[in-house]
Structures are given as C-alpha cells and as structure tokens.
Amino acid sequence: RMTIPESLRPFVRQVRKTVDLPMVHPGTRVNSSPNSANSQTFSYGSNVIPSTIMNAYGYDSSASAASVSQGIFEVPSQVVCNADLELFQNKYSLKRQDISGSYGEASGSCGGEASLDAQYIMAVAQDANTYVFYGEDYVDAITQLMYMDDLVSVVSISYAQDESTVSDDEFTSFDSLAMKLGLVGTTLVVSAGDDGAHSRDIRFSVGGIESCGYEPSWPASSPYVTAVGATMGPEYHSEEVVCQSNGGGLITSGGGF
C-alpha cells in the first residue's frame, strides 16, 4: 500500500499508474469465410482501406476539410511518424499532408496504434489541420486544447480503461474538461472498447467465467463525450452490423451503457 505525508494532502489530487500495468493481448483469432451461407459472418482478414470507408458512407474522396482542425490523443510510447504517414497516403492515392503539430512529450518510436489513428482520421478529413496530444493522463494532455489559437473541432481518443479503476477525482476532472471543451465547440469522440460489455478482463479468464458481468469502458462512459463502437460488413458489400467476434470480427465492440 502506498502512502504520502499528511502535509501533502491539500496539494495532491490523485496518484496514478502505480499498479495498473498494461495487459498483453493473447492474440486469439476467429476465422470464418465471407462466402458462408450466413451473410452476417465475416473474416477480419479482409482489408478496410480508406476507399472502403468513403464508399460505405458516401464520402467524396476529393472533398476538402481545410476549414476545420482535428486531433488525436496518444500515450507517449505511441508516436505518429510522418514517414509512415507519407507511405500510407501514397499507397492509397490520398492528398499528401503531415501532422500539423504535436503537444506533450513523446518518448517512444513509431507506434501502430498512433499510426492507425492518424492515417485514417486524416484520410477521411483530408486537408484538415491534425494535431497529436501526447500524455499518460487524458486531462493533462487535452487541456492544452484550451490554449490553442486554432479551434480543434474534434478530438479522437482510442484508449480506454475499466470504469471501476477510475477515481472520483479522475471522473470529475475529465468531465469538467469535456464540458468546457463542448462550450467552445470541441467534441471528444471516444472508442467504446474492444471486449463487449465485459471489459478487457474477459480475455484473461478461463472460458470467460471469472470475468462474466458488466464493466463500462471509460472515458467512453462519460456523458460529455460521443462514444463510438466498431462495425463490420461494408468491406464485403454487406449490411453494416456491430463488430462481434462470434460473427468473425477481430473484436466485439464495447457495451453502449
């Protein structure tokens, strides 16, 4: 158990990241054929590329989003690399554009999560100014938005943790920031998670028995953000449905509560 001197109590809001270590994904795969008799069973081995998204939602690939700005949150170990971004844009014949700027300290190398976030948000909103906000803490990283001259319309957060691990102070701090950003016109869009309504712990129990239950994903569960889940289907020219592992998806989209 960790303690701090009583004299410091008035000055300490919270102490984080002392025992919450990252969990390793076991990499379990579910394979199925897109030609199955069940039209809602898919194989995640297919490619979802920018044109897949544009066709599914009726985006004009030549449209410009130059009038808006957007951002992504990343942990310091996940760095967006312009060299990777250039390869992606060239491969899919997208407009060439680098990250407009970054805030916070990045300490890692080119990261897969960061690359995915940057590549696809910039593919959909081409010409938009795109910023990266690095930090171990959502509030510390995203607070920098309040002091920018360029109004960022949307910030995407693709990270999450179990709501039961979040302190009351963290809830309050994040919700207060989200409300302030909403007042100046910034929307926080947060991933609903990859493990259905059970949280990521369901992956690490025998048959899922020990972790059976409901565990909201935070900060998607905040009432002041827009939570977004994953879907599948358009990559096979089929009806768009919620992504689910028992239907061939790599993940099961997070619970909507």
Side-chain angles (χ1 to χ4, degrees):
R1 183 179 180 182
M2 186 187 69
T3 62
I4 60 173
E6 186 66 30
S7 59
L8 295 179
R9 180 182 294 276
F11 309 103
V12 178
R13 186 180 66 190
Q14 58 185 272
V15 178
R16 301 186 60 206
K17 304 299 181 184
T18 57
V19 296
D20 185 18
L21 301 178
M23 304 178 78
V24 179
H25 194 301
T28 302
R29 296 191 169 203
V30 179
N31 291 302
S32 59
S33 170
N35 299 318
S36 168
N38 179 0
S39 62
Q40 296 305 307
T41 298
F42 311 98
S43 167
Y44 70 81
S46 66
N47 290 324
V48 176
I49 61 177
S51 61
T52 308
I53 300 172
M54 293 175 186
N55 291 335
Y57 296 106
Y59 290 168
D60 182 352
S61 61
S62 63
S64 174
S67 61
V68 299
S69 296
Q70 58 191 2
I72 55 176
F73 166 86
E74 302 294 340
V75 296
S77 60
Q78 287 282 329
V79 179
V80 177
C81 296
N82 279 320
D84 285 353
L85 186 58
E86 181 178 6
L87 289 173
F88 179 85
Q89 291 169 341
N90 289 338
K91 180 175 182 178
Y92 296 110
S93 302
L94 301 170
K95 295 177 182 178
R96 180 71 189 99
Q97 185 179 12
D98 286 337
I99 292 294
S100 302
S102 62
Y103 296 83
E105 295 295 328
S107 57
S109 57
C110 298
E113 180 76 18
S115 293
L116 180 69
D117 291 343
Q119 289 165 2
Y120 277 84
I121 196 172
M122 294 178 71
V124 172
Q126 296 186 64
D127 292 326
N129 290 326
T130 303
Y131 301 93
V132 186
F133 300 93
Y134 293 105
E136 292 288 355
D137 180 279
Y138 300 118
V139 173
D140 289 344
I142 301 175
T143 293
Q144 297 165 100
L145 281 163
M146 303 295 292
Y147 305 100
M148 293 177 60
D149 293 330
D150 190 5
L151 173 63
V152 177
S153 300
V154 177
V155 176
S156 173
I157 301 175
S158 59
Y159 296 81
Q161 66 189 89
D162 293 348
E163 193 178 73
S164 61
T165 67
V166 183
S167 70
D168 289 342
D169 284 337
E170 287 178 281
F171 282 133
T172 300
S173 297
F174 183 87
D175 286 349
S176 296
L177 175 61
M179 284 189 283
K180 292 175 183 176
L181 290 174
L183 288 173
V184 298
T186 300
T187 299
L188 299 181
V189 178
V190 184
S191 164
D194 298 345
D195 300 283
H198 303 289
S199 87
R200 64 184 184 175
D201 290 342
I202 199 72
R203 305 179 196 173
F204 304 95
S205 58
V206 180
I209 302 301
E210 289 85 345
S211 295
C212 185
Y214 297 113
E215 177 65 76
S217 178
W218 184 84
S221 60
S222 168
Y224 305 105
V225 307
T226 299
V228 179
T231 62
M232 60 186 187
E235 64 271 36
Y236 291 120
H237 308 288
S238 299
E239 179 186 2
E240 186 176 29
V241 297
V242 174
C243 192
Q244 47 199 318
S245 58
N246 64 354
L250 176 59
I251 67 162
T252 296
S253 190
F257 63 95

